[in-house]
Amino acid sequence: MGWLDGQVAIVTGAASGIGKTAAETFVAEGARVLLADIDNDGIGALIGQLGHNYADGAVTDIRDESAVQDMVAQAVRRFGRLDIAFNNAGIGGFSPIQNYPLADFERVVGICLTGTFLCIKHEAAAFIAQRRGGSVINIASLNAIQATEGFAAYCSAKAGVAMLTKVAALELGRHGIRVNAIGPGLIHTPATAGMTALPGLEDAFIQEAPIGRAGEPEDVAKLATYLASDDASLMTGQTLYIDGGASLKKYPELFRFFGT
Ligand code: NAD
């Protein structure tokens, strides 16, 4: 018996990092998954690994509303239902505010916040039509509550995801839909490889984390699996920070590490 037997999940940003590991974990727990990403090759490789009976793919830019609508429709058409939405796709960005190019700021907010909104909007519509409830899990960040030098767009977008999670939970609870978020600290993925390669940066993060380590995608995937499952049936509107306790202290001074 798996934790998610018979359930169907959408995973955005499924071709890499946390999304890829979450998709693998959901399938290991008995779910079938629709893998959504802009990375067609990455989706194809993961379908090959998980098997066509358990995984399907949709090339989706979550900033594109009609593509997001198609993604949700494809999950329901292919697997007959939708139970879980893991809205994980996101990107980072670094710049001092006084030099932050508008297009770069809008790209981060457009993917992390507006893209997450579009996913929730169309997933909620599908859940409501099914009349069976559902579980939405958004990926926020430790940076939703911890200000970080150079991360004006990212911190703002992720704080927005945490509040969007609360509003969506407030509105959708009457339909049996739970909406939660996860706020990871520093997790080893391709997205953070550049940061953790900067001499001393990971050590500086770990010094501010009482548990004394950075995270792995599996740490986040296990929490997502719990939130997706019926064991979390009373849990909604929350952002759970999985960061080794780093949120209790402060983020490393990135201007120093980036030589700004
Ligand atoms: P990653 O770069 O390994 O994976 C992100 C995936 O999202 C990639 O496959 C990418 O192609 C996809 N993607 C990017 N833009 C997209 C778009 N417009 N539409 C659809 N897919 C898109 O990154 P990751 O570290 O696994 O991060 C996943 C999520 O976790 C992000 O939202 C990130 O902000 C968040 N997060 C990561 C960390 C960390 O330390 N790694 C910490 C906190 C939060």
Side-chain angles (χ1 to χ4, degrees), residues 188-221:
H188 291 128
T189 71
T192 53
M195 262 177 80
T196 52
L198 293 172
L201 197 155
E202 183 166 346
D203 285 345
F205 178 85
I206 287 170
Q207 269 172 22
E208 303 293 345
I211 293 297
R213 70 171 175 92
E216 303 301 329
E218 288 75 10
D219 292 306
V220 182

Side-chain angles (χ1 to χ4, degrees), residues 9 44 62 80 109 163 214 222 226 230 259:
I62 59 164
V109 174
M163 181 50 81
K222 285 177 194 161
Y226 163 70
D230 291 340

Side-chain angles (χ1 to χ4, degrees), residues 7 48 61 69 98 189 214 242 253:
Q7 302 210 28
D61 185 329
Q69 205 164 5
Q98 67 273 23
T189 71
I242 181 160
E253 293 166 10

Side-chain angles (χ1 to χ4, degrees), residues 99-114:
N99 303 326
Y100 216 127
L102 175 60
D104 293 357
F105 189 96
E106 288 183 337
R107 183 159 183 270
V108 173
V109 174
I111 295 174
C112 291
L113 180 56
T114 314

Side-chain angles (χ1 to χ4, degrees), residues 93-95 100 143 147-156 195 251 254-255 258:
F94 177 90
S95 174
Y100 216 127
N143 297 121
T148 300
E149 292 170 353
F151 279 18
Y154 188 74
C155 289
S156 306
M195 262 177 80
Y251 211 80
L254 290 191
F255 282 170
F258 281 78

